[in-house]
C-alpha cells in the first residue's frame, strides 16, 4: 500500500500552519468532486479507475494478440507530452534494462516517436523500422500536434509502401478524440482501428485510458493489476479525511512553496523509475506552472545524482524540497560477496544485499539533507510492479489537481504551450501565420 511520510518536514513547518493548508486541500477535494472548479470539464480521470471495465481492457488485448499473431516485433508509439510520457514511464519501469542486449524476447519491443523533431532521431529510427516487423500506435488527442504528425507521416508512408495500404491499416491503431481532428478523419478514411480519448480527460491525466494502457498491453504489462492498484488508491484518495495522502501531499507542497521552497525534486533510488519522474514532471509542471505561480518540478536518481546534484542539494540555495520514492522490496537479488584479499576493504559488507546499501544511502541522505535545510517527503510503495505503479499514478494525479486548486490555478489547461507552437508555425510558413512570421523575422 502506498504510504506518505511527512515527518521529514517537521523542522520546517508548524502543525497549525499545516492544518490551515490541509483545510484548503480538503476544500479543493470538494471542488474537484463536485466538478465546480476551474477546468472541471476535464476531470473525467477522477473516476476512471472505478469506471474502467474488463470489456475496455479486453479490447487492448485483442490488438496485442492480433499483432502477435502477425509476427509484429516492433511497435512504434507515436505521441508527445501526455500522449506518450505515461506509457514510456510504465514500460521502462517494468522492462529489463538490458533486454535488448540480452536478446530475450517475450513480446514486441516498444519504442517511441513523435516526441521530438530531431532529424537524426528519425533517420536512426527508420534504420530500425526497416529491419523489423512493424506496427504503429499513433496517439494525439487533438490530432493536429506537429511532432507526432511529422513522425506518423514518415511511418505511415513506410508501412503503406512496404505492406500495401490494406495491411498497413491493420498495423496502425489511432488513439484520438472520439469525433474530431485530423487523425480521427484520417483513421476513418484509411480504415484504422481506433480508441477514443474521453473528451473529459486531458493529455497528462490520460495514462489510464487507451493512451497509456494500449501501449502497455502490447508491451506485455499487466494492465488489470495496474487498474486494481489505481482503484485501491482512488478509494483512499476520495476520502475527505485529514489523513488522505493526496490531501496531505497537496497541502504540504503548497505550504513549502509559500515558505520559499520553489523547487520540488522527485528522487528515486532505482533507475527504473527515471522515466516515471519525467511523467511526474509533466503532470505537475504543466498543471501548476501558470499565472506566475507553481513549484518547479525537477528530478534525480540517487545514488547516481548524489555525485552531481547532491552537492547543490546539500549546500546550495535553500529553495529545494525533496519527494523521495521509496521502494520497500527489491524484486531481484544481488549481494556483496566475501573476498579473501579484501584489497578493496569491502569485506565489512560481505553477505550484504545491495538493496540494503541503497536503503542506508536513502536514510543517510534523508537525514543529511534535512539537517542542511531540505524538507523531505517520502512516498513509499511495496515494490515496482503494475499494482504499485497504478497507485502512484492515481495518487499523483489526484494530489496534483488538489495542489493546483489550492494554489488557485486551473490544473487542466496549458496556455503557455501555445507560444512556442505559434512561433514555430510562423517560422515554418504554416498558412495563416504570415503576420507573426514577419514580426519574428525582424528579430532574427
Ligand atoms: O497534457 C497535455 O495536454 C499535453 O501535454 C498534450 O498531451 C500534448 O501537448 C500532446 O497533445 P495531443 O495529444 O493533442 O497531440
Amino acid at each position: 500500500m502506498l504510504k506518505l511520510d511527512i515527518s521529514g518536514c517537521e523542522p520546517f513547518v508548524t502543525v497549525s500552519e499545516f492544518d490551515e493548508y490541509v483545510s484548503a486541500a480538503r476544500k479543493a477535494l470538494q471542488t474537484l468532486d463536485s466538478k465546480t472548479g476551474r477546468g472541471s470539464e476535464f476531470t473525467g480521470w477522477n473516476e476512471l479507475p472505478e469506471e474502467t471495465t474488463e470489456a475496455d481492457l479486453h479490447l487492448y488485448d485483442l490488438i496485442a494478440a492480433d499483432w502477435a499473431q502477425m509476427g509484429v516485433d516492433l511497435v512504434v508509439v507515436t505521441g508527445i507530452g501526455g500522449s506518450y510520457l505515461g506509457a514510456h514511464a510504465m514500460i521502462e519501469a517494468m522492462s529489463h534494462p538490458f533486454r535488448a542486449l540480452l536478446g530475450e524476447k517475450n513480446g514486441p519491443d516498444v519504442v517511441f516517436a513523435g516526441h521530438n523533431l530531431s532529424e537524426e532521431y528519425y533517420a536512426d529510427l527508420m534504420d530500425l523500422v526497416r529491419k523489423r516487423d512493424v506496427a504503429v500506435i499513433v496517439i494525439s488527442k487533438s490530432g493536429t500536434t506537429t511532432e507526432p504528425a511529422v513522425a506518423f507521416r514518415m511511418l505511415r508512408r513506410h508501412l503503406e509502401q512496404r505492406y500495401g495500404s490494406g495491411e498497413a491499416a491493420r498495423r496502425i491503431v489511432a488513439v484520438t478524440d472520439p469525433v474530431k481532428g485530423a487523425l480521427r478523419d484520417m483513421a476513418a478514411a484509411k480504415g484504422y482501428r481506433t480508441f477514443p480519448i474521453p473528451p473529459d480527460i486531458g493529455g497528462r491525466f490520460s495514462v489510464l485510458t487507451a493512451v497509456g494502457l494500449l501501449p502497455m498491453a502490447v508491451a506485455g504489462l499487466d494492465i488489470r493489476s495496474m487498474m486494481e492498484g489505481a482503484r485501491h488508491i482512488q478509494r483512499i484518495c476520495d476520502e475527505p479525511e485529514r489523513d488522505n495522502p493526496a490531501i496531505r501531499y497537496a497541502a504540504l507542497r503548497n505550504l513549502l512553496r509559500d515558505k520559499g521552497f520553489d523547487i520540488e525534486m522527485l528522487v528515486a533510488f532505482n533507475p527504473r523509475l527515471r522515466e516515471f519522474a519525467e511523467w511526474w514532471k509533466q503532470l505537475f509542471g504543466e498543471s501548476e506552472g501558470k499565472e506566475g505561480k507553481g513549484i518547479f518540478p525537477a528530478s534525480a536518481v540517487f545514488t547516481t545524482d548524489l555525485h552531481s546534484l547532491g552537492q547543490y542539494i546539500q549546500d546550495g540555495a535553500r529553495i529545494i524540497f525533496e519527494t523521495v520514492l521509496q521502494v520497500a522490496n527489491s524484486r531481484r537479488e544481488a549481494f556483496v560477496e566475501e573476498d579473501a584479499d579484501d584489497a578493496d576493504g569491502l569485506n565489512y559488507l560481505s553477505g550484504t544485499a545491495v538493496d540494503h546499501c541503497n536503503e542506508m544511502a536513502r536514510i543517510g541522505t534523508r537525514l543529511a539533507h534535512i539537517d542542511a535545510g531540505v524538507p523531505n517527503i517520502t512516498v513509499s510503495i511495496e515494490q515496482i510492479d503494475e499494482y504499485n505503479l497504478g497507485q502512484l499514478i492515481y495518487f499523483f494525479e489526484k494530489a496534483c489537481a488538489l495542489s493546483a486548486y489550492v494554489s488557485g490555478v486551473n490544473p487542466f489547461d496549458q496556455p503557455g504551450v501555445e507560444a512556442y507552437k505559434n512561433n514555430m508555425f510562423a517560422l515554418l510558413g504554416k498558412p495563416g501565420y504570415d503576420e507573426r512570421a514577419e514580426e519574428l523575422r525582424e528579430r532574427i
Side-chain angles (χ1 to χ4, degrees):
M1 230 283 281
L2 181 146
K3 289 200 186 85
L4 180 76
D5 175 4
I6 58 171
S7 58
C9 292
E10 274 163 16
F12 307 94
V13 301
T14 66
V15 172
S16 64
E17 284 170 337
F18 181 54
D19 283 347
E20 203 184 301
Y21 281 76
V22 164
S23 298
R26 289 178 71 183
K27 275 199 198 106
L29 180 65
Q30 271 168 14
T31 307
L32 178 70
D33 286 346
S34 59
K35 298 196 186 281
T36 51
R38 292 174 74 185
S40 61
E41 63 278 26
F42 293 111
T43 52
W45 58 271
N46 193 28
E47 301 86 28
L48 192 63
E50 290 283 8
E51 289 181 355
T52 302
T53 64
E54 171 55 32
D56 296 327
L57 302 181
H58 183 61
L59 294 174
Y60 309 137
D61 294 343
L62 293 179
I63 302 288
D66 186 41
W67 285 349
Q69 194 242 321
M70 288 166 78
V72 167
D73 65 5
L74 180 76
V75 176
V76 186
V77 176
T78 305
I80 195 166
S83 288
Y84 101 97
L85 281 159
H88 194 201
M90 295 302 113
I91 293 170
E92 287 295 309
M94 292 311 303
S95 300
H96 194 300
F98 306 114
R99 181 176 188 246
L101 298 174
L102 281 167
E104 283 174 6
K105 290 228 169 294
N106 43 12
D109 291 314
V110 176
V111 296
F112 293 84
H115 56 314
N116 68 67
L117 286 171
S118 157
E119 186 162 347
E120 289 193 12
Y121 185 88
Y122 289 106
D124 294 345
L125 176 70
M126 293 312 288
D127 289 343
L128 178 67
V129 164
R130 278 189 282 271
K131 287 201 169 145
R132 304 285 290 271
D133 205 319
V134 189
V136 172
I137 301 173
V138 55
I139 307 172
S140 177
K141 183 163 190 207
S142 61
T144 54
T145 308
T146 311
E147 290 90 338
V150 166
F152 183 51
R153 181 177 282 205
M154 219 176 292
L155 292 160
R156 185 173 73 238
R157 287 178 71 95
H158 172 84
L159 262 58
E160 284 172 354
Q161 278 163 9
R162 184 165 152 193
Y163 301 108
S165 51
E167 187 174 333
R170 191 169 161 199
R171 289 171 180 267
I172 294 172
V173 171
V175 182
T176 189
D177 185 277
V179 285
K180 58 182 194 311
L183 183 56
R184 168 61 53 186
D185 296 344
M186 192 192 304
K190 296 208 177 239
Y192 303 153
R193 285 173 285 186
T194 61
F195 288 92
I197 306 176
D200 59 354
I201 301 182
R204 58 192 172 276
F205 289 84
S206 69
V207 54
L208 299 178
T209 70
V211 170
L213 296 177
L214 175 61
M216 288 185 235
V218 165
L221 271 61
D222 183 348
I223 55 174
R224 286 166 184 78
S225 180
M226 180 166 288
M227 293 310 290
E228 208 181 305
R231 259 192 304 278
H232 181 87
I233 201 76
Q234 181 188 342
R235 285 181 213 122
I236 293 167
C237 291
D238 278 348
E239 291 299 324
E241 305 305 332
R242 199 179 181 283
D243 58 359
N244 173 334
I247 287 178
R248 290 167 85 75
Y249 179 55
L252 196 49
R253 52 198 305 287
N254 274 277
L255 172 54
L256 290 170
R257 187 217 42 233
D258 288 349
K259 286 177 171 282
F261 295 102
D262 286 324
I263 297 175
E264 178 176 12
M265 179 88 61
L266 187 79
V267 174
F269 278 77
N270 186 325
R272 280 182 180 236
L273 295 175
R274 192 181 293 278
E275 293 303 323
F276 182 82
E278 296 306 313
W279 172 81
W280 175 90
K281 283 195 276 195
Q282 192 227 1
L283 179 67
F284 279 88
E286 225 171 65
S287 301
E288 288 193 316
K290 50 195 71 158
E291 299 175 26
K293 299 180 185 171
I295 296 168
F296 185 80
S299 67
V301 174
F302 289 172
T303 63
T304 313
D305 293 327
L306 287 173
H307 297 257
S308 64
L309 295 174
Q311 170 61 36
Y312 189 103
I313 299 168
Q314 187 73 37
D315 243 0
R318 301 298 74 192
I319 51 174
I320 298 174
F321 68 97
E322 288 177 319
T323 296
V324 175
L325 297 176
Q326 185 200 357
V327 180
N329 303 307
S330 169
R331 291 183 311 155
R332 305 291 308 274
E333 286 185 345
F335 287 90
V336 181
E337 286 177 21
E338 176 82 8
D339 186 293
D341 296 342
D342 196 25
D344 50 14
L346 269 187
N347 270 357
Y348 77 99
L349 289 177
S350 292
T352 306
V354 175
D355 206 46
H356 178 73
C357 304
N358 205 25
E359 184 58 1
M360 292 308 107
R362 186 188 68 77
I363 295 171
T365 305
R366 177 178 186 272
L367 296 175
H369 287 182
I370 291 170
D371 289 347
V374 180
N376 179 288
I377 299 172
T378 299
V379 178
S380 312
I381 56 170
E382 275 151 30
Q383 59 186 24
I384 299 179
D385 61 14
E386 290 90 340
Y387 183 80
N388 283 278
L389 290 168
Q391 292 197 22
L392 276 183
I393 288 171
Y394 188 85
F395 164 72
F396 279 123
E397 285 181 349
K398 190 83 156 201
C400 178
L402 301 187
S403 181
Y405 276 160
V406 170
S407 77
V409 300
N410 177 355
F412 308 114
D413 65 0
Q414 51 284 325
V417 179
E418 297 310 310
Y420 103 87
K421 282 191 197 167
N422 291 336
N423 284 356
M424 178 177 75
F425 291 151
L427 293 169
L428 284 171
K430 186 169 179 172
Y433 289 80
D434 307 348
E435 216 176 289
R436 183 72 184 148
E438 225 170 275
E439 276 168 41
L440 292 175
R441 286 208 184 93
E442 277 169 21
R443 290 171 54 197
I444 53 179

